[in-house]
Amino acid sequence: MSSLGHRDGLARNYPPPRPSPRPHNTVFDNDTDILPASPHILTRQPSQDIGDRQDEQLPILTHRLRHTSSILAIVLSDEYIYAGTQAGEILVYGLRTFERKAVIEGHRGSVLGLCLNADHSLLFSSAGDRIVNVWRTRDYTRHSCLYSSYDVGDIFCVAHSSVLQTVYMGAQNTSIQWCREDKKGTHAAPTKPAVVAIRDDDFFESRSVTGLRTPRPLDAEDVPRHATGGETIEIDRQNIIHFAHYGYVYCMLLASSLPGSASNQEVLVTGGGDGVVKVWALDPETGAPSELFDLEDGREEGHSILSISLNDSFLYSGRSGGEVDVWDLETRQLIRNLKAHRDDVQTVLVGGGFMFSAAITGYVRKFDRQYNLKSRLKAHDGRVLTSAFTYHRRRPIYVTGGNDNTLAVWDVSDCVTIPMTVSRTSNEQLVDSLGKFISFRTVSSDPHCAVDCRRGASYLRSVFKNFGAATEMLSTQADPNHSYNPIILAKFMGNPAHNGKGKRKKILFYGHYDVVPAENWNGKWIVDPFQMEGIDGYLYGRGTSDNKGPIMAAIFACAELRSEQALGSDVIFLIEGEEESGSRGFEQAIRANKDKIGDVDWILLANSYWLDDRIPCLTYGLRGVIHAKVQIDSARPDMHSGVDGSAQLDESLKDLVMLLSKLTGKHGDVKIPGFYDPILPLTQQEKQLYTDITTALVQRNPDLGDPEALAKSLMRRWREASLTLHHFHTSGPENATIIPRSARAALSMRLVPNQEADKVATALVEHLQSEFLKLDSNNTLTITIDHQAEPWLGDWTNELFQTLERAVMSVWGPIDQSHRRRSSIAPPHITVPPSKDATGYFAAKKSPTTSSDLANGSAVSPSPLSPMSQVNAKLEDFTHTQTSKKGTGSPTKRRSTGKRGASVTEIPPAPPPAPKPLQKPLYIREGGSIPAIRFLEKEFGAPAAHLPCGQASDSAHLDNERLRLVNLYKSREVFKEVFREVVGR
């Protein structure tokens, strides 16, 4: 049985400290309202100068990281967050992208304490299973396991002295123990390391007078997955101080020396359930602590010290009851007592010249050097159990963890106490600008959002202007009485020094700032869709992926190159505000302002997604689209089927159904004459692209099934035209007896390269009219073409695509295309039946592979699978094994041991692994449509290419749209590589 100790109110076999009396002071009910408290006797009055005011704006929540159990301990390195959980795991997150790097299943009890050694090469974890594990941060394997000769109960805290090479731990049985790395004061390890965590508990597992005891659960002797390997060390009985406190030892830290002391030797500071802070001298030979003095404010027992923090000569202690004591270690005087919260202060620390206190109420308070309250925030929906502070790339980071199973990362940039310049094009500035961009409801299809669309366009223009681009708003006025959202024209001019003998390339970047509607009335969004939030390494919000995130990445790429005087091309941005509404007014505006835009060599856009979630892609083809409405009207009004219905009556809805049935046949075969005739055949060169795709996808996810079937499914989505019925609408009330006067259906047709939208639209109208005449109906037919866009097919072998390919390979490096589960499926041989053969291509009905299948199948999380380093090691081992099977020409040697004929096989050592080759991106096509791309190619006579920035699981146009932080940062770097490159030399 494990316990959480004080953190979640559970104890195991030792009496908890007595509850603290409520002091006579103001208390903050729910940390917001001030209410009078009942008077109690205290030896000294706490200060009452802390009101509930806020002099500054709140810290900004940068990111929230979710898990499945409470976060009880946090420690930060220069690049990583390490978090201990109630489930015995240690989570590892990157501070740059907040991606989860590993989940170490290391303890059978809750992880209550974490610390790092001086060079961050070792991580120490203490837990409710009575052991301390030491982990290598290089690969997250276990270095050693420490345990006590005594039943110490939960080990609440752990500290490491790099000077003395000694580990200290504070325990539930009121003791402090230590262990030197040279193993002085240790005994031989037990035969089975597993017994460390499953020894009999003296209280809960003691035998009855009959010699019987409660049977253990079946999994009682299970060892956590990664709690293996390394050396198991038993701490000697002499390396313990019994009753170091008269209560649990909740917290400890090491100080380099005691302020005001001539000695430079480290000291240990501990806090316990007896309400006392103790300072211990450390023997330089043995590491043994000896008490120097204690800090006690003279109040009654029960005010436990739950956390401590040290800053210069001042010691801060968070107490039960909501108070924080500030001690001067030089004079050993209590100089301040703050009533910071209405309940237990679970964690307190000092960073950047401020003191942060957090309580089980879920609130965090920040105090300045004069102990004035500067800000207050609700950090967690539950108890705040732990916190940490660091500077990451010169920016202050404050991280909290709570029993709502989340970590919260806060931007506390006002804590910067030294002058410094933060680049406007840093990752933080990029995310900040994107968040502001997302906040504008730029929904082009909603007239109520017209003002926000203009504000969003103005904000984007201001971003361009702040980075030095020449900008202009292009009007999209359709007529004197109506205009659509404007187009932003912005130009970044390349460095003239890069001209050389030729002229700089001119790259036209196309994007759109409008988005599809997003409302959260049904509660399906996990955030406000127009208030971007970072969660689990992703940025959630409408437009993060489509298309505001990629636009902002491209802008920042230009800005950084310009500041470095390394912009090798002229980059022209055309960002429209009507793409999600069919690019209304776009073509007219571009033609009218073509002189302002100037000549163009390349066209680049970033408005789609990878095929799965792991492998970067380049898109070389898009389908076109036709949206149409088919309506049949009767000269008669709506009628009652019982009164007027008969076989001789021409019903509009019946006619519509019969007419639409003439559009498609079995398995979706389109029956419009000549519909498939222009479609280009599959070339051998393009066929190889599908082989590359299916090889990569199936290797990663064998559940995708037969590679040939997968290839056919992709071809049907990308290079086969289709027709879809979307919805019906009828006149009259919606009841079962009405014969509607009018019936209307909406449909769309997806076109592929070499089909022309005008010709297909004409063929559709002619076919419907011809089939309607055959019905011999008295009703009338109306066909409306609402929108059409041409398909696009790029040349993936041209200079533009080759430049993008080099940039992707340079930025993303070796791409992990390894399978999640081993598969013996060989690269597929793809056979494509003729597209016009109804008995061939459409004969076999198979469930298609959807984008959701690809996204879900490729999602790789380090969750409790194993640390990523172990995953990579296994993949390398597998690769080496496969290589060895092919034979290396090195003979295997055998030598006899001379014992019963046994022999030992000597295998020559494997050569060092070769560097992983750079993996080319996958070349894909898309089933969707972008109206502007083919128009821009024709208008400017320049080739276009498409760089997908997002992943397949981005949920663009759906609830919970998101963009991975890594993809945002990497996309900016890819754009930099493309815009930097001087081509045409």
Side-chain angles (χ1 to χ4, degrees):
M1 174 178 179
S2 65
S3 73
L4 303 183
H6 179 83
R7 294 182 186 266
D8 276 348
L10 299 177
R12 209 154 55 92
N13 56 347
Y14 300 98
R18 290 182 295 178
S20 60
R22 181 65 66 187
H24 176 59
N25 190 15
T26 56
V27 297
F28 302 102
D29 186 44
N30 292 324
D31 272 74
T32 53
D33 301 323
I34 301 177
L35 298 174
S38 301
H40 287 275
I41 298 175
L42 275 182
T43 58
R44 185 181 34 71
Q45 284 287 332
S47 61
Q48 300 189 34
D49 59 344
I50 302 302
D52 207 31
R53 64 186 181 277
Q54 294 196 72
D55 297 334
E56 300 179 1
Q57 65 180 16
L58 291 175
I60 299 171
L61 179 63
T62 301
H63 219 82
R64 191 171 291 277
L65 305 169
R66 301 174 298 176
H67 191 54
T68 56
S69 58
S70 298
I71 307 299
L72 306 180
I74 298 173
V75 67
L76 305 178
S77 70
D78 296 334
E79 296 293 335
Y80 297 102
I81 301 172
Y82 299 93
T85 76
Q86 182 178 346
E89 305 156 321
I90 302 170
L91 313 177
V92 185
Y93 296 93
L95 271 172
R96 182 171 179 265
T97 63
F98 304 110
E99 282 197 303
R100 186 182 293 178
K101 302 296 183 181
V103 177
I104 307 171
E105 296 180 14
H107 292 272
R108 297 185 69 253
S110 304
V111 179
L112 303 174
L114 291 173
C115 77
L116 290 160
N117 66 346
D119 63 2
H120 298 171
S121 62
L122 295 177
L123 172 69
F124 301 82
S125 60
S126 64
D129 57 4
R130 299 171 266 181
I131 65 173
V132 171
N133 279 323
V134 186
W135 309 91
R136 302 177 184 90
T137 57
R138 180 186 70 254
D139 55 9
Y140 309 125
T141 57
R142 191 166 73 169
H143 173 275
S144 55
C145 170
L146 315 178
Y147 72 99
S148 174
S149 304
Y150 294 92
D151 180 12
V152 295
D154 296 349
I155 303 178
F156 288 112
C157 50
V158 61
H160 178 261
S161 169
S162 295
V163 174
L164 301 177
Q165 297 293 293
T166 303
V167 182
Y168 298 90
M169 58 198 78
Q172 187 178 13
N173 73 339
T174 75
S175 71
I176 295 175
Q177 298 192 55
W178 63 97
C179 178
R180 292 176 60 92
E181 291 185 17
D182 59 12
K183 303 183 184 65
K184 290 182 180 180
T186 61
H187 281 170
T191 304
K192 295 182 179 180
V195 304
V196 173
I198 60 175
R199 292 176 296 175
D200 291 348
D201 185 283
D202 293 340
F203 180 80
F204 290 101
E205 297 177 307
S206 59
R207 296 181 183 273
S208 67
V209 293
T210 63
L212 300 176
R213 66 179 180 185
T214 304
R216 294 181 186 271
L218 292 177
D219 61 349
E221 298 189 6
D222 289 349
V223 176
R225 185 179 310 186
H226 305 120
T228 58
E231 188 174 9
T232 304
I233 302 171
E234 182 180 11
I235 303 171
D236 196 6
R237 292 176 177 267
Q238 68 184 19
N239 285 18
I240 184 170
I241 298 177
H242 293 285
F243 306 110
H245 285 265
Y246 292 104
Y248 303 163
V249 182
Y250 283 127
C251 48
M252 62 171 50
L253 57 81
L254 285 161
S256 57
S257 62
L258 192 63
S261 172
S263 172
N264 291 323
Q265 293 181 354
E266 283 185 313
V267 295
L268 179 69
V269 185
T270 60
D274 53 1
V276 178
V277 174
K278 292 190 176 185
V279 180
W280 309 80
L282 303 178
D283 187 288
E285 295 297 327
T286 65
S290 58
E291 185 176 347
L292 286 174
F293 58 87
D294 59 40
L295 304 173
E296 186 173 5
D297 61 4
R299 68 184 57 215
E300 296 178 354
E301 295 180 8
H303 284 69
S304 302
I305 306 296
L306 305 177
S307 60
I308 52 178
S309 182
L310 189 64
N311 182 48
D312 297 328
S313 62
F314 297 102
L315 179 75
Y316 302 80
S317 60
R319 311 179 64 117
S320 59
E323 299 178 24
V324 175
D325 285 343
V326 185
W327 296 88
D328 185 344
L329 291 182
E330 289 194 66
T331 63
R332 305 179 191 179
Q333 289 181 323
L334 179 67
I335 61 173
R336 201 76 167 193
N337 173 262
L338 307 176
K339 180 59 180 174
H341 300 267
R342 71 176 179 86
D343 214 331
D344 299 349
V345 179
Q346 191 67 56
T347 175
V348 63
L349 57 83
V350 176
F354 291 88
M355 183 192 78
F356 298 87
S357 65
I360 62 175
T361 57
Y363 281 81
V364 171
R365 277 188 161 84
K366 186 179 77 171
F367 299 86
D368 63 14
R369 293 180 183 273
Q370 288 72 42
Y371 310 111
N372 296 314
L373 177 64
K374 305 305 292 182
S375 60
R376 179 197 71 252
L377 65 143
K378 177 73 172 178
H380 293 270
D381 293 327
R383 301 182 175 194
V384 183
L385 301 175
T386 181
S387 65
F389 181 95
T390 192
Y391 284 93
H392 176 63
R393 303 191 178 188
R394 304 183 73 190
R395 294 182 66 87
I397 299 293
Y398 178 58
V399 184
T400 58
N403 69 348
D404 59 354
N405 305 342
T406 70
L407 291 109
V409 184
W410 304 91
D411 180 0
V412 285
S413 54
D414 57 336
C415 293
V416 177
T417 56
I418 58 175
M420 63 175 60
T421 301
V422 179
S423 171
R424 291 183 59 84
T425 56
S426 65
N427 287 340
E428 293 80 9
Q429 288 294 320
L430 171 58
V431 173
D432 180 64
S433 297
L434 178 57
K436 292 176 182 177
F437 196 17
I438 296 297
S439 68
F440 296 98
R441 293 177 175 265
T442 53
V443 181
S444 57
S445 62
D446 186 353
H448 296 95
C449 296
V451 174
D452 237 20
C453 286
R454 295 303 176 108
R455 289 174 177 169
S458 296
Y459 170 74
L460 185 58
R461 185 184 183 188
S462 71
V463 174
F464 279 114
K465 292 175 69 176
N466 288 339
F467 286 133
T471 67
E472 185 175 347
M473 290 283 200
L474 304 183
S475 173
T476 55
Q477 188 166 354
D479 55 63
N481 300 318
H482 182 73
S483 63
Y484 300 115
N485 292 322
I487 300 168
I488 302 170
L489 169 64
K491 293 185 179 181
F492 287 97
M493 305 306 293
N495 188 344
H498 290 181
N499 280 357
K501 297 181 179 180
K503 69 174 186 177
R504 297 188 305 270
K505 286 286 186 180
K506 300 181 183 298
I507 303 175
L508 174 63
F509 183 92
Y510 165 82
H512 64 93
Y513 61 84
D514 64 318
V515 297
V516 296
E519 300 297 336
N520 200 27
W521 58 268
N522 56 8
K524 291 184 178 180
W525 279 82
I526 61 176
V527 301
D528 181 335
F530 292 100
Q531 292 296 323
M532 188 181 78
E533 291 188 29
I535 301 175
D536 299 336
Y538 288 85
L539 300 174
Y540 283 80
R542 176 59 84 217
T544 51
S545 182
D546 184 13
N547 181 232
K548 293 182 177 181
I551 290 173
M552 202 60 71
I555 295 173
F556 270 70
C558 282
E560 291 182 7
L561 288 172
R562 188 173 182 271
S563 67
E564 299 165 3
Q565 298 185 345
L567 185 59
S569 308
D570 294 344
V571 184
I572 306 162
F573 284 81
L574 280 178
I575 312 298
E576 69 158 313
E578 294 285 345
E579 196 273 346
E580 301 293 4
S581 297
S583 292
R584 298 176 298 192
F586 180 77
E587 294 185 8
Q588 298 90 329
I590 297 304
R591 290 192 176 107
N593 294 278
K594 193 171 179 181
D595 291 341
K596 294 179 181 179
I597 298 169
D599 295 332
V600 173
D601 296 304
W602 289 355
I603 300 169
L604 180 62
L605 66 158
N607 193 20
S608 63
Y609 327 97
W610 295 351
L611 192 54
D612 70 350
D613 272 15
R614 307 304 297 178
I615 308 175
C617 301
L618 293 175
T619 302
Y620 67 93
L622 294 168
R623 292 196 292 187
V625 66
I626 294 174
H627 288 285
K629 289 186 179 68
V630 182
Q631 182 168 328
I632 296 181
D633 298 286
S634 170
R636 301 182 178 86
D638 297 326
M639 296 181 291
H640 189 286
S641 61
V643 175
D644 297 305
S646 70
Q648 293 183 331
L649 182 66
D650 293 329
E651 299 179 9
S652 57
L653 182 57
K654 188 184 299 181
D655 285 352
L656 180 62
V657 171
M658 289 189 292
L659 180 61
L660 295 178
S661 70
K662 304 299 182 180
L663 289 176
T664 60
K666 189 177 181 181
H667 303 319
D669 183 16
V670 179
K671 296 300 184 182
I672 299 175
F675 182 76
Y676 294 105
D677 292 346
I679 297 178
L680 299 170
L682 179 69
T683 65
Q684 188 64 33
Q685 191 177 15
E686 186 178 8
K687 180 179 177 181
Q688 182 59 44
L689 297 180
Y690 286 92
T691 301
D692 296 341
I693 293 169
T694 53
T695 300
L697 294 180
V698 175
Q699 185 181 26
R700 287 197 60 83
N701 183 19
D703 290 343
L704 291 174
D706 178 53
E708 186 173 343
L710 174 60
K712 291 178 182 178
S713 178
L714 294 175
M715 290 180 191
R716 286 174 175 171
R717 284 166 43 191
W718 296 349
R719 64 181 327 278
E720 291 295 334
S722 65
L723 187 150
T724 300
L725 295 174
H726 295 289
H727 57 79
F728 286 86
H729 176 76
T730 60
S731 62
E734 294 183 2
N735 61 60
T737 62
I738 294 299
I739 300 174
R741 174 189 59 83
S742 175
R744 184 176 72 244
L747 61 86
S748 70
M749 305 174 71
R750 295 291 174 171
L751 312 180
V752 296
N754 217 43
Q755 286 183 312
E756 296 182 27
D758 286 337
K759 292 183 178 180
V760 175
T762 300
L764 170 67
V765 172
E766 292 176 351
H767 179 66
L768 289 173
Q769 290 174 340
S770 173
E771 293 297 325
F772 183 71
L773 290 175
K774 296 177 183 179
L775 296 179
D776 192 25
S777 173
N778 292 320
N779 296 324
T780 58
L781 169 67
T782 303
I783 305 168
T784 305
I785 304 298
D786 297 320
H787 170 69
Q788 62 186 47
E790 296 291 343
W792 167 71
L793 183 66
D795 178 6
W796 69 89
T797 64
N798 68 15
E799 182 183 15
L800 175 55
F801 274 101
Q802 295 308 306
T803 301
L804 283 168
E805 179 182 291
R806 289 193 298 270
V808 170
M809 293 170 64
S810 172
V811 170
W812 285 96
I815 300 167
D816 178 17
Q817 296 192 16
S818 306
H819 55 276
R820 295 185 303 132
R821 295 175 295 274
R822 293 192 178 185
S823 170
S824 59
I825 299 175
H829 173 71
I830 300 174
T831 302
V832 183
S835 61
K836 293 181 286 184
D837 182 5
T839 61
Y841 187 92
F842 294 98
K845 182 173 177 59
K846 296 182 180 179
S847 179
T849 303
T850 66
S851 58
S852 297
D853 296 330
L854 297 175
N856 296 336
S858 68
V860 173
S861 172
S863 61
L865 295 176
S866 66
M868 288 306 295
S869 58
Q870 294 188 20
V871 173
N872 293 335
K874 291 178 181 178
L875 293 176
E876 290 176 2
D877 291 343
F878 175 72
T879 303
H880 175 65
T881 301
Q882 296 299 101
T883 304
S884 299
K885 289 180 179 179
K886 297 178 181 179
T888 62
S890 300
T892 299
K893 300 180 181 179
R894 290 183 178 269
R895 65 177 174 86
S896 174
T897 63
K899 296 181 180 181
R900 298 183 182 179
S903 64
V904 176
T905 301
E906 292 184 353
I907 301 178
K916 292 184 178 180
L918 296 178
Q919 177 64 47
K920 290 185 178 182
L922 296 178
Y923 282 84
I924 65 172
R925 289 166 70 162
E926 280 280 350
S929 308
I930 298 178
I933 186 170
R934 184 60 185 143
F935 162 76
L936 290 173
E937 275 193 331
K938 290 180 178 179
E939 196 67 25
F940 291 97
H946 199 161
L947 172 70
C949 294
Q951 300 171 295
S953 63
D954 280 356
S955 298
H957 287 208
L958 305 175
D959 297 327
N960 296 310
E961 181 180 348
R962 67 183 189 175
L963 178 66
R964 191 169 61 148
L965 264 176
V966 172
N967 284 57
L968 179 66
Y969 298 158
K970 295 282 190 181
S971 295
R972 180 189 59 187
E973 295 303 315
V974 172
F975 288 134
K976 285 185 68 174
E977 292 289 323
V978 174
F979 298 156
R980 177 191 291 115
E981 184 165 340
V982 182
V983 295
R985 290 176 292 184

